[in-house]
Amino acid sequence: VVSKRGRKPIIDHSTIYTVLERNKFEIFDNCYLRPPSHKIWSDMCEELGNIISYKTLYISVLQDRHSFKTKLIQLLGIDFLQEDRDNDSDFIDSENDDNYNMNNDEDYFLVKNNNIENTLFKITIPYEKYEQFEPTTIVYKDNKSKRSYDVLKKNTWSDIINDEFIATHNLPCNFVYKSCKVRKNMMYSNFKAKCKEDGCQLFGWSEKKPDIGQPLEINILTKDTRKSNFIHVTKRPLRGLKRKEVGQQLLTDVASNWRRDNVNDMEFGQMSPPNLYKSSVLRKAKQQHKDNILGITLKNNIESVVELKRNSRFSGSIHEVGIDPLL
């Protein structure tokens, strides 16, 4: 039996390794493989004539295909697998520790989800909106050490990023966002999300902190589900800063008008996005916002009926309430 050779590769492995060898000092950072968002991967793809994507190149080194990583490690004389860290001090440098976790997050996402199925999307967040969720520092403590992390403002960043993502690319997935961290070097921030219905995973990152007045540029890697036959019906929760903003908008309007204003750019037959909230949710947000303005904290249905009885408008309709004192 004569076995047939497989399909000829689109680019010779030796050509790829030549480019990797030429950039070997830039591929690793402190003995760790740089993440796929780093500029070095796109630069090497340009050297290769953009025949392969930066994700494919990154995966080939990450998984040590054709012994690429092994050869580079031997050339550099480093121990890539060594993960020992200095944990003797009471304070662990969060910047270095985050860098390590960041690589693990990206490696796991790209390998598990197969880079062929995922698409790279780009969005920009205006600086005025970025100021609403600028990072703050949180310190976590345990028995022997403590770590500090810079995180984006809770219940704010996910809505702003998700709204911009939907407005720009119209994906129907109802993503639940989590695990957002901000770093001081290399990748400025990254976050993960998962669709509540079809399980589609998302990984997003921004390479640098925006300059004052400049927008925040975000890259998002996920599956393009715009042509999927899966029907998405759930909606995102309305909470945090956005709930207050929507409640303020509804003070002089009704829920149906708000929904109508937010579907102006939709085409006929298009499925409603996950941030088009139900009328009942909008009415509740409006009620809560009014209560906050009026300072209403105690809510009692019986006492509310008594107040209606004392109101001249309903005094002739409500005659007696069981809570009324006996004379």
Side-chain angles (χ1 to χ4, degrees):
V1 179
V2 179
S3 60
K4 296 182 179 180
R5 294 189 62 183
R7 185 178 60 181
K8 185 179 180 180
I10 191 171
I11 184 171
D12 189 68
H13 302 150
S14 60
T15 303
I16 297 177
Y17 180 71
T18 300
V19 174
L20 292 172
E21 184 180 12
R22 188 160 52 241
N23 296 274
K24 58 182 178 293
F25 294 107
E26 302 296 329
I27 295 176
F28 297 96
D29 177 56
N30 195 23
C31 300
Y32 291 93
L33 193 65
R34 290 191 183 275
S37 58
H38 195 275
K39 189 174 181 294
I40 185 60
W41 299 104
S42 57
D43 289 345
M44 288 190 293
C45 287
E46 290 183 3
E47 292 186 41
L48 294 169
N50 290 318
I51 297 177
I52 59 175
S53 68
Y54 72 93
K55 292 180 288 185
T56 301
L57 182 60
Y58 172 79
I59 290 293
S60 65
V61 178
L62 174 69
Q63 297 183 341
D64 200 18
R65 296 175 183 174
H66 313 291
S67 301
F68 285 157
K69 186 169 67 174
T70 300
K71 294 177 182 177
L72 293 173
I73 290 173
Q74 292 175 351
L75 285 175
L76 294 172
I78 60 176
D79 185 5
F80 184 78
L81 298 178
Q82 183 177 356
E83 298 179 358
D84 294 337
R85 293 182 175 268
D86 184 11
N87 294 327
D88 295 335
S89 62
D90 292 335
F91 185 82
I92 298 177
D93 185 1
S94 63
E95 180 177 325
N96 292 335
D97 190 65
D98 286 349
N99 217 11
Y100 172 70
N101 290 333
M102 174 188 64
N103 289 338
N104 282 349
D105 287 342
E106 288 188 311
D107 295 351
Y108 172 79
F109 180 83
L110 290 174
V111 173
K112 181 179 179 181
N113 291 275
N114 187 346
N115 62 324
I116 298 176
E117 296 183 358
N118 293 305
T119 303
L120 181 64
F121 299 93
K122 294 180 180 292
I123 60 174
T124 56
I125 305 296
Y127 189 78
E128 295 75 16
K129 291 186 177 181
Y130 166 75
E131 288 183 307
Q132 298 178 10
F133 62 86
E134 278 189 304
T136 56
T137 302
I138 297 180
V139 178
Y140 296 90
K141 298 181 180 180
D142 55 28
N143 295 332
K144 297 182 179 180
S145 63
K146 60 181 179 180
R147 304 183 183 187
S148 65
Y149 295 99
D150 289 339
V151 297
L152 301 180
K153 188 175 180 181
K154 186 179 179 181
N155 291 335
T156 303
W157 68 270
S158 57
D159 282 317
I160 294 177
I161 292 177
N162 186 75
D163 288 347
E164 187 64 33
F165 184 44
I166 292 176
T168 305
H169 299 290
N170 296 317
L171 265 70
C173 287
N174 181 11
F175 287 110
V176 178
Y177 292 80
K178 61 179 181 178
S179 183
C180 178
K181 292 183 180 179
V182 181
R183 296 169 176 86
K184 300 177 182 178
N185 62 351
M186 291 175 58
M187 184 185 297
Y188 173 59
S189 65
N190 72 346
F191 55 87
K192 295 183 291 185
K194 184 177 181 180
C195 180
K196 188 176 181 180
E197 296 174 290
D198 62 11
C200 179
Q201 297 192 52
L202 175 150
F203 185 84
W205 72 92
S206 56
E207 296 183 358
K208 64 178 182 178
K209 181 179 179 179
D211 297 328
I212 297 178
Q214 298 299 315
L216 174 67
E217 298 180 354
I218 297 178
N219 303 293
I220 294 178
L221 189 64
T222 188
K223 185 178 180 180
D224 190 347
T225 56
R226 287 174 291 190
K227 297 182 180 180
S228 173
N229 294 326
F230 189 91
I231 299 177
H232 297 78
V233 295
T234 61
K235 305 297 180 184
R236 281 183 55 79
L238 181 59
R239 60 187 179 185
L241 178 63
K242 188 175 183 182
R243 190 176 186 90
K244 296 179 182 179
E245 292 178 346
V246 172
Q248 178 66 34
Q249 295 169 5
L250 291 171
L251 279 180
T252 56
D253 207 345
V254 294
S256 58
N257 288 342
W258 188 94
R259 285 172 54 85
R260 188 181 301 112
D261 293 339
N262 282 269
V263 294
N264 288 334
D265 56 347
M266 287 182 60
E267 299 178 358
F268 180 77
Q270 183 179 347
M271 190 177 303
S272 63
N275 58 351
L276 183 64
Y277 307 103
K278 296 180 179 179
S279 296
S280 58
V281 175
L282 296 173
R283 287 193 292 267
K284 186 64 176 179
K286 178 179 180 179
Q287 175 194 340
Q288 290 178 341
H289 191 71
K290 283 186 175 181
D291 291 345
N292 291 335
I293 293 176
L294 298 174
I296 299 175
T297 56
L298 180 63
K299 299 179 181 180
N300 188 301
N301 294 335
I302 302 300
E303 291 182 357
S304 297
V305 175
V306 174
E307 290 297 324
L308 290 175
K309 176 189 173 183
R310 295 171 181 171
N311 189 301
S312 59
R313 180 181 176 185
F314 300 101
S315 59
S317 301
I318 304 176
H319 300 284
E320 293 184 4
V321 182
I323 198 175
D324 287 341
L326 297 176
L327 298 177

